[in-house]
Amino acid sequence: MAKEEASSVVSDLINFLNSSPTAFHAVEEAKKLLRSVGYEQVSEREDWKLEAGKRYFFTRNHSTIVAFAIGKKYVAGNGFHIVGAHTDSPCLKLKPVSKVSKAGYLEVGVQPYGGGLWHTWFDRDLTIAGRVIIRGEKDGSASYLHRLVRIEEPIMRIPTLAIHLERGVNDGFKVNTQTHLLPILATSIKAELNKEVAENGSVEIEVQTDEKKTKEKNTTKNSKHHSLLLQLLASQVGCQPDDICDFELQACDTQPSIVAGAMKEFIFSGRLDNLCMSFCSLKALIDATYSESSLEDETAVSMVALFDHEEVGSNSAQGAGSPAMLNALSRITNSFGSDPKLIEKAIQRSFLVSADMAHALHPNYMDKHEDNHQPKLHGGLVIKHNANQRYATNSVTSFIFKEIATKHNLPIQDFVVRNDMACGSTIGPILASGVGIRTVDVGAPQLSMHSIREMCAVDDVKHSYEHFKAYFKELSHLDAKITVDI
């Protein structure tokens, strides 16, 4: 890969990370990237009129997105070449009733989402992002809109307890997620003073929008959430607090993602698991299918599917455990042929790369890796194996992915968890068993997985992008040479 192109991939990833504090924002950024190169949005609620040689995408819940490019020589029953990843990361999500007042403080009630390293959330400059449901008016009647929201500046913090008040804290601190993880929003006295002057009309809140500064007054009282919080959200969205009907919000770190390290070889960021794989796969699909000529001789459908809720088991309407993947494969196949058996043939001709970040060897905890399976930063994508099918890789799918790496001079690594440790899992086994598709589980190596602040290597971002792009371009040719079930 040319040096300029490699640098662009990394800088584009940094921009993507900084624009995607939540799964909703990640999908919005993905939509922008796809539309900018001519992908057409289709709706699951409508009929699809698809054409060979064209590119499309759809979203589900605005937290899952599926993009696909149909080869010019595709016919119904041909296979799908898919990379699957996920848009969600462990975080603290606001409760349905988030209003907590204690000891003269306004706190925000949150609940842990996924298996986060919760001690890393203490003493961080936090803000809030997500989506809100806004009441509006259309043609003289009420209408309701979904709007993304992000407060840029730090507005909350979860302070640690001073060591003077907990002398044994360095001997082992166990986070109580009910009592310890309550971000402080403000002091009660300051919030009350602000509310009183705002209700008297003496103080206006200045809001910076893209086009201009607007000023709004807040007169809302809400028993579920602090009026100060609703006021901040309304100011950001550009509505009245009373117009906010509901929301899905989460606490977010405000420190931006950066290229760092003495040699500028690392990326320090939140949500690398799994927005790094989401971005690399999406960019690879875009660049592999950028022009009509790139699809001229393609017989398959190239696809990227980015799912929500992987961190909590994928069992939702927009998770990998839903029918979303099978529905997409069926609708595309049926758009080109009416025989209901064609989808079964298509699935057996298909291939899935389940892409989720992997555990790099930690220099301070080397005993946590098996001696013969120690993925390193800069070492390329990691193929994950597990005899008990916690990963869906087998010898055939592993060989195919390695063969692509060999042809393109790309590094590749293997990982098996120690026999005396529990093994994590991915969307790979869920889709392999639910759809019946051949699958290989892979991921770029990283450190500090599930921390509020993770790290990976710049080189592995480049390797991942190149590997996925080569996969989209060459799988049809390579797969034709492999015979298994005869």
Side-chain angles (χ1 to χ4, degrees):
M1 178 166 40
K3 187 174 181 180
E4 296 79 12
E5 184 183 7
S7 177
S8 172
V9 172
V10 174
S11 63
D12 288 350
L13 170 62
I14 296 296
N15 291 336
F16 183 81
L17 289 166
N18 284 327
S19 300
S20 304
T22 73
F24 303 120
H25 289 82
V27 166
E28 183 65 22
E29 290 304 306
K31 286 171 62 176
K32 290 176 184 176
L33 290 171
L34 291 165
R35 281 176 171 154
S36 71
V37 293
Y39 275 72
E40 177 187 338
Q41 184 167 4
V42 293
S43 170
E44 288 190 287
R45 295 187 173 198
E46 308 293 339
D47 292 332
W48 291 1
K49 295 179 181 178
L50 309 178
E51 298 178 36
K54 297 296 179 67
R55 300 163 297 166
Y56 306 90
F57 73 90
F58 68 87
T59 67
R60 181 178 285 196
N61 189 53
H62 208 276
S63 59
T64 287
I65 186 166
V66 178
F68 54 95
I70 305 171
K72 207 69 177 285
K73 295 184 178 179
Y74 170 81
V75 294
N78 284 4
F80 294 80
H81 301 162
I82 309 165
V83 178
H86 64 90
T87 58
D88 61 320
S89 301
C91 64
L92 299 174
K93 297 203 173 190
L94 271 66
K95 291 180 176 178
V97 180
S98 71
K99 187 176 183 178
V100 178
S101 299
K102 291 189 301 184
Y105 291 98
L106 303 189
E107 295 185 304
V108 179
V110 295
Q111 54 183 330
Y113 173 85
L117 287 172
W118 302 123
H119 68 272
T120 66
W121 284 73
F122 286 78
D123 296 332
R124 303 293 301 187
D125 298 340
L126 302 177
T127 189
I128 284 176
R131 73 167 169 192
V132 295
I133 308 301
I134 303 294
R135 182 188 298 106
E137 188 176 309
K138 185 177 181 181
D139 299 327
S141 60
S143 65
Y144 301 92
L145 302 173
H146 138 117
R147 293 281 300 275
L148 300 190
V149 63
R150 178 186 192 178
I151 299 172
E152 296 285 349
E153 64 271 13
I155 60 169
M156 304 189 303
R157 190 175 176 90
I158 306 172
T160 48
L161 183 65
I163 193 170
H164 313 79
L165 303 178
E166 184 62 71
R167 291 291 183 180
V169 67
N170 288 327
D171 299 327
F173 172 49
K174 182 173 176 58
V175 178
N176 183 316
T177 55
Q178 175 64 25
T179 59
H180 294 157
L181 285 177
L182 284 161
I184 292 176
L185 180 68
T187 56
S188 300
I189 189 167
K190 285 288 187 182
E192 191 64 29
L193 286 170
N194 178 71
K195 183 172 69 172
E196 286 179 6
V197 291
E199 288 176 355
N200 290 334
S202 302
V203 171
E204 295 178 321
I205 307 157
E206 190 171 76
V207 186
Q208 180 72 49
T209 64
D210 290 338
E211 299 86 12
K212 60 181 180 177
K213 289 184 177 180
T214 60
K215 293 184 177 180
E216 297 188 4
K217 296 176 183 177
N218 173 41
T219 58
T220 299
K221 294 179 181 178
N222 192 298
S223 60
K224 291 186 175 182
H225 309 286
H226 292 299
S227 59
L228 176 60
L229 176 62
L230 293 173
Q231 178 181 305
L232 289 167
L233 292 170
S235 298
Q236 194 68 33
V237 176
C239 71
Q240 293 296 324
D242 282 335
D243 293 331
I244 298 175
C245 302
D246 209 338
F247 55 60
E248 290 175 76
L249 300 172
Q250 65 190 60
C252 308
D253 192 12
T254 56
Q255 186 174 0
S257 306
I258 55 169
V259 174
M263 301 300 294
K264 299 298 181 186
E265 61 184 303
F266 305 127
I267 293 174
F268 298 163
S269 173
R271 307 174 305 286
L272 288 173
D273 175 22
N274 192 36
L275 292 187
C276 180
M277 291 293 90
S278 294
F279 175 80
C280 289
S281 59
L282 190 68
K283 184 167 177 58
L285 175 69
I286 287 171
D287 291 353
T289 62
Y290 185 77
S291 62
E292 286 193 15
S293 61
S294 62
L295 296 170
E296 197 68 39
D297 296 320
E298 182 57 71
T299 59
V301 176
S302 299
M303 176 182 286
V304 164
L306 309 180
F307 293 99
D308 195 4
H309 293 149
E310 188 276 343
E311 296 292 356
V312 291
S314 297
N315 293 319
S316 69
Q318 51 273 7
S322 75
M325 172 70 79
L326 185 57
N327 288 351
L329 305 189
S330 298
R331 292 189 72 164
I332 295 168
T333 301
N334 293 338
S335 294
F336 292 86
S338 57
D339 186 346
K341 295 180 180 178
L342 287 172
I343 183 60
E344 299 168 11
K345 183 164 67 172
I347 289 169
Q348 295 309 308
R349 293 175 170 180
S350 298
F351 195 97
L352 169 68
V353 176
S354 167
D356 204 346
M357 298 294 278
H359 298 294
L361 179 67
H362 196 306
N364 302 340
Y365 303 90
M366 293 182 66
D367 60 326
K368 297 298 182 181
H369 276 72
E370 192 191 74
D371 290 345
N372 293 330
H373 300 90
Q374 299 184 337
K376 308 284 200 309
L377 296 183
H378 308 302
L381 282 169
V382 180
I383 298 180
K384 307 175 186 180
H385 307 259
N386 184 262
N388 297 306
Q389 294 301 295
R390 296 292 288 170
Y391 302 127
T393 306
N394 63 30
S395 58
V396 176
T397 60
S398 175
F399 164 75
I400 289 173
F401 205 68
K402 286 179 179 176
E403 191 68 10
I404 293 170
T406 301
K407 183 173 180 181
H408 288 266
N409 269 339
L410 293 167
I412 194 79
Q413 310 181 75
D414 290 290
F415 173 75
V416 174
V417 75
R418 288 174 56 108
N419 292 346
D420 54 2
M421 292 176 63
C423 183
S425 193
T426 68
I427 64 171
I430 295 170
L431 291 170
S433 59
V435 179
I437 188 171
R438 295 174 296 167
T439 302
V440 62
D441 266 296
V442 308
Q446 74 162 95
L447 295 170
S448 302
M449 187 179 288
H450 287 195
S451 169
I452 196 171
R453 197 78 177 161
E454 303 170 324
M455 66 181 287
C456 70
V458 164
D459 288 346
D460 292 319
V461 173
K462 304 169 189 174
H463 297 325
S464 300
Y465 161 75
E466 280 294 304
H467 208 143
F468 294 149
K469 187 166 72 168
Y471 160 77
F472 284 127
K473 287 186 172 182
E474 300 194 15
L475 183 61
S476 292
H477 180 69
L478 176 59
D479 200 28
K481 298 178 180 180
I482 297 173
T483 303
V484 176
D485 295 306
I486 55 171

